[in-house]
Coordinates of all heavy atoms in Angstrom, one line a residue:
M1 N -0.1 -16.4 11.3 CA -0.6 -16.7 9.9 C 0.7 -16.6 9.0 O 1.5 -15.7 9.0 CB -1.4 -15.5 9.4 CG -2.0 -15.6 7.9 SD -3.0 -14.3 7.4 CE -4.2 -14.1 8.7
P2 N 0.8 -17.7 8.2 CA 1.9 -17.7 7.2 C 1.8 -16.7 6.1 O 0.8 -16.5 5.6 CB 1.9 -19.2 6.7 CG 0.4 -19.6 6.9 CD 0.0 -18.9 8.1
N3 N 2.9 -16.2 5.7 CA 3.0 -15.1 4.7 C 2.8 -15.9 3.4 O 3.1 -17.1 3.2 CB 4.2 -14.5 4.7 CG 4.4 -13.6 5.8 OD1 3.5 -13.4 6.6 ND2 5.6 -13.1 6.1
R4 N 2.2 -15.2 2.4 CA 1.9 -15.7 1.0 C 2.8 -14.8 0.1 O 2.9 -13.5 0.2 CB 0.4 -15.7 0.7 CG -0.4 -16.5 1.5 CD -1.9 -16.3 1.2 NE -2.1 -16.6 -0.2 CZ -3.3 -16.7 -0.8 NH1 -4.4 -16.4 0.0 NH2 -3.5 -16.9 -2.1
R5 N 3.4 -15.5 -0.9 CA 4.1 -14.7 -2.0 C 4.8 -13.5 -1.5 O 4.6 -12.4 -2.1 CB 3.1 -14.4 -3.1 CG 2.4 -15.5 -3.9 CD 1.7 -15.0 -5.0 NE 0.9 -16.1 -5.6 CZ -0.3 -16.5 -5.2 NH1 -0.9 -15.7 -4.2 NH2 -1.1 -17.3 -5.8
G6 N 5.7 -13.6 -0.6 CA 6.5 -12.5 -0.3 C 5.8 -11.3 0.5 O 6.3 -10.1 0.4
V7 N 4.8 -11.6 1.2 CA 4.2 -10.5 2.1 C 5.0 -10.4 3.3 O 4.6 -10.7 4.4 CB 2.7 -10.7 2.4 CG1 2.1 -9.5 3.1 CG2 2.0 -11.0 1.2
D8 N 6.4 -9.9 3.2 CA 7.3 -10.0 4.3 C 7.6 -8.5 4.7 O 8.7 -8.3 5.2 CB 8.5 -10.7 3.8 CG 9.3 -10.1 2.5 OD1 8.6 -9.1 2.0 OD2 10.2 -10.6 2.0
F9 N 6.7 -7.7 4.5 CA 6.8 -6.3 5.0 C 5.8 -5.9 5.9 O 4.6 -6.5 6.0 CB 6.8 -5.3 3.7 CG 5.7 -5.6 2.8 CD1 4.6 -4.7 2.9 CD2 5.7 -6.5 1.9 CE1 3.5 -4.9 2.2 CE2 4.6 -6.6 0.9 CZ 3.5 -5.8 1.2
S10 N 6.1 -4.9 6.7 CA 5.1 -4.5 7.8 C 4.5 -3.1 7.4 O 3.3 -2.9 7.6 CB 5.6 -4.5 9.1 OG 6.7 -3.7 9.1
L11 N 5.3 -2.2 7.0 CA 4.9 -0.9 6.6 C 4.8 -0.6 5.1 O 5.8 -1.0 4.5 CB 5.7 0.3 7.4 CG 5.6 0.2 8.9 CD1 6.3 1.4 9.5 CD2 4.1 0.1 9.3
Y12 N 3.9 0.0 4.6 CA 3.6 0.1 3.2 C 3.1 1.5 2.8 O 2.2 2.1 3.4 CB 2.4 -1.0 3.1 CG 1.6 -1.0 1.8 CD1 2.3 -0.8 0.5 CD2 0.4 -1.4 1.7 CE1 1.7 -1.1 -0.7 CE2 -0.3 -1.5 0.5 CZ 0.3 -1.3 -0.7 OH -0.3 -1.4 -1.8
L13 N 4.0 2.1 2.0 CA 3.8 3.5 1.6 C 3.0 3.5 0.3 O 3.4 3.1 -0.7 CB 5.2 4.1 1.4 CG 5.1 5.7 0.9 CD1 4.4 6.5 1.9 CD2 6.5 6.1 0.5
I14 N 1.9 4.4 0.4 CA 1.1 4.7 -0.8 C 1.3 6.1 -1.2 O 1.3 7.1 -0.3 CB -0.4 4.5 -0.5 CG1 -0.6 3.0 0.1 CG2 -1.3 4.8 -1.6 CD1 -2.0 2.8 0.6
T15 N 1.6 6.3 -2.5 CA 1.9 7.7 -2.8 C 0.7 8.6 -3.1 O -0.3 8.0 -3.6 CB 2.8 7.7 -4.2 OG1 2.0 7.4 -5.4 CG2 3.9 6.7 -4.1
D16 N 0.8 9.8 -2.9 CA -0.1 10.9 -3.2 C 0.6 12.3 -3.3 O 0.8 12.8 -2.2 CB -1.3 10.8 -2.2 CG -2.4 11.8 -2.6 OD1 -2.2 12.7 -3.6 OD2 -3.5 11.9 -2.0
R17 N 0.9 12.6 -4.4 CA 1.8 13.8 -4.6 C 1.1 15.1 -4.1 O 1.7 16.1 -3.8 CB 2.4 14.0 -6.0 CG 1.2 14.4 -7.0 CD 1.7 14.2 -8.4 NE 0.9 14.8 -9.4 CZ -0.3 14.2 -9.7 NH1 -0.7 13.1 -9.2 NH2 -1.2 14.9 -10.6
R18 N -0.3 15.0 -3.8 CA -1.0 16.2 -3.4 C -0.7 16.6 -2.0 O -1.0 17.7 -1.6 CB -2.4 16.0 -3.6 CG -3.0 15.8 -5.0 CD -4.3 15.3 -5.2 NE -4.5 14.0 -4.5 CZ -5.8 13.4 -4.5 NH1 -6.9 14.1 -4.9 NH2 -5.9 12.2 -3.9
V19 N -0.2 15.6 -1.2 CA 0.1 16.0 0.1 C 1.5 16.4 0.5 O 2.0 16.7 1.5 CB -0.2 14.7 1.1 CG1 -1.6 14.1 0.9 CG2 0.9 13.5 0.9
L20 N 2.3 16.4 -0.7 CA 3.8 16.9 -0.5 C 3.9 18.2 -0.1 O 3.2 19.1 -0.5 CB 4.5 16.7 -1.8 CG 4.5 15.1 -2.3 CD1 5.2 15.2 -3.7 CD2 5.5 14.4 -1.4
P21 N 4.9 18.6 0.7 CA 5.1 20.0 0.9 C 5.6 20.8 -0.2 O 6.1 20.1 -1.1 CB 6.3 19.8 2.2 CG 6.2 18.5 2.6 CD 5.7 17.6 1.5
P22 N 5.5 22.0 -0.3 CA 5.8 22.9 -1.5 C 7.3 22.6 -1.7 O 8.2 22.6 -0.9 CB 5.5 24.3 -1.1 CG 4.4 24.2 0.0 CD 4.6 22.9 0.6
G23 N 7.7 22.4 -3.0 CA 9.0 22.3 -3.4 C 9.6 20.9 -3.3 O 10.8 20.7 -3.8
R24 N 8.9 19.9 -2.9 CA 9.4 18.6 -2.9 C 8.7 17.7 -3.9 O 7.5 17.8 -4.1 CB 9.1 18.0 -1.5 CG 9.6 16.5 -1.4 CD 9.5 16.0 0.0 NE 10.3 16.8 1.0 CZ 10.0 16.9 2.2 NH1 8.8 16.3 2.7 NH2 10.8 17.6 3.1
T25 N 9.5 17.0 -4.6 CA 8.9 16.0 -5.7 C 8.7 14.8 -5.0 O 9.1 14.4 -3.9 CB 10.0 15.7 -6.7 OG1 11.0 15.0 -6.3 CG2 10.5 17.1 -7.4
L26 N 7.7 14.0 -5.7 CA 7.3 12.7 -5.2 C 8.6 11.7 -5.2 O 8.7 11.0 -4.2 CB 6.4 12.1 -6.2 CG 5.7 10.7 -5.7 CD1 5.0 10.8 -4.4 CD2 4.6 10.3 -6.8
L27 N 9.4 11.7 -6.1 CA 10.6 10.9 -6.1 C 11.5 11.2 -4.9 O 12.1 10.3 -4.3 CB 11.4 10.9 -7.4 CG 10.6 10.3 -8.7 CD1 11.4 10.7 -9.9 CD2 10.7 8.8 -8.5
E28 N 11.6 12.5 -4.7 CA 12.6 12.8 -3.5 C 11.8 12.4 -2.1 O 12.6 11.9 -1.2 CB 12.6 14.4 -3.3 CG 13.5 15.1 -4.5 CD 13.4 16.5 -4.6 OE1 12.5 17.0 -4.0 OE2 14.2 17.0 -5.3
A29 N 10.6 12.5 -2.0 CA 9.8 12.0 -0.8 C 10.0 10.6 -0.7 O 10.3 10.0 0.4 CB 8.4 12.5 -0.8
V30 N 9.8 9.8 -1.7 CA 9.8 8.4 -1.6 C 11.2 7.9 -1.4 O 11.5 6.9 -0.6 CB 9.2 7.7 -3.0 CG1 9.5 6.2 -3.0 CG2 7.8 8.0 -3.1
E31 N 12.2 8.5 -2.0 CA 13.6 8.2 -1.7 C 13.9 8.3 -0.3 O 14.6 7.6 0.4 CB 14.6 8.9 -2.6 CG 16.1 8.4 -2.3 CD 17.0 8.8 -3.4 OE1 16.7 9.7 -4.2 OE2 18.0 8.1 -3.4
G32 N 13.4 9.4 0.4 CA 13.6 9.7 1.8 C 13.0 8.4 2.6 O 13.7 8.0 3.5

Side-chain angles (χ1 to χ4, degrees):
M1 178 189 304
N3 293 346
R4 299 173 58 174
R5 291 191 194 85
V7 187
D8 56 358
F9 51 94
S10 56
L11 297 188
Y12 171 35
L13 177 63
I14 301 172
T15 75
D16 184 347
R17 69 193 191 287
R18 295 172 299 179
V19 307
L20 294 171
R24 181 177 297 152
T25 69
L26 183 59
L27 287 168
E28 288 170 345
V30 171
E31 182 161 20

